[in-house]
Amino acid sequence: AFGQRGRATVSRFEAQLEDRARHLAVRLASPPTSPWVGQWMGRDVDVQTGTLTITPQDLPEYPAPQGESVTLDWRQLRWDDQGLRTQGTLSPFSLAWVDWLAGPGTQPLADLGLGGQLRFEGDWDVHWPRDARVPVRMNAGLQRRSGDLRLSVDDGSGAGVQNVPAGLRDAS
């Protein structure tokens, strides 16, 4: 019955998330390493490590970034009397995702003259307390994985706008 302790194992999950302009395909790439353990109706829920693959889908009027699946690996997803606790990583994603997620007719990075094949990965560790008087604790990071940034610049020479590589390198 609901409200009792339970276990469930999910080995396959697929979903389509849509709004007017964007469609995402979400697929469970690897099931949680241990089954969901928890209770229902406001009780403890603890989903151990797992992986989702998120892929933007083309629409005729709004093409998605090609070959741009993102992997979301979570190490912890827990909801209990203390609140929500989640940790994980997101990789790889490119600048194209930012412009695509902004929606049709907007390209915030391209409008700033930024582009290129720069790819990122990120991580998070978030504790969102149930008690609204207790502050949220969040540690999130973003780092370059590969690629370079291209800048659109006009040097005033009359040659027009040039795309110039920023020359990003790995730290040594």
Side-chain angles (χ1 to χ4, degrees):
F2 291 121
Q4 302 299 314
R5 192 136 184 90
R7 295 177 80 76
T9 300
V10 177
S11 60
R12 183 172 180 258
F13 172 81
E14 293 181 9
Q16 294 286 329
L17 305 177
E18 302 175 359
D19 68 9
R20 292 180 321 185
R22 293 168 299 268
H23 292 190
L24 291 170
V26 179
R27 181 179 60 83
L28 186 63
S30 67
T33 56
S34 67
W36 166 82
V37 176
Q39 298 178 344
W40 189 253
M41 305 300 281
R43 305 282 194 242
D44 294 358
V45 175
D46 189 4
V47 181
Q48 296 301 313
T49 61
T51 303
L52 289 175
T53 301
I54 305 166
T55 306
Q57 304 293 296
D58 274 331
L59 294 175
E61 66 280 5
Y62 193 51
Q66 296 300 305
E68 291 286 334
S69 291
V70 169
T71 301
L72 187 146
D73 288 307
W74 72 89
R75 293 186 300 270
Q76 180 183 39
L77 180 60
R78 181 171 179 78
W79 177 257
D80 59 22
D81 290 339
Q82 301 301 309
L84 174 68
R85 178 71 188 253
T86 179
Q87 298 173 316
T89 61
L90 181 67
S91 69
F93 61 96
S94 69
L95 294 176
W97 269 84
V98 175
D99 281 341
W100 185 76
L101 287 171
T106 62
Q107 296 181 325
L109 295 179
D111 291 346
L112 291 171
L114 302 174
Q117 297 301 316
L118 193 58
R119 296 176 71 75
F120 299 95
E121 57 190 19
D123 60 83
W124 73 90
D125 181 354
V126 176
H127 179 238
W128 195 301
R130 276 193 167 191
D131 184 343
R133 297 170 295 183
V134 177
V136 173
R137 289 189 322 243
M138 177 172 48
N139 184 18
L142 181 66
Q143 63 186 5
R144 175 182 168 266
R145 182 175 185 176
S146 64
D148 198 3
L149 183 65
R150 296 191 67 75
L151 309 170
S152 296
V153 296
D154 184 348
D155 64 5
S157 68
V161 175
Q162 305 289 320
N163 285 322
V164 178
L168 299 178
R169 298 183 311 250
D170 293 334
S172 52

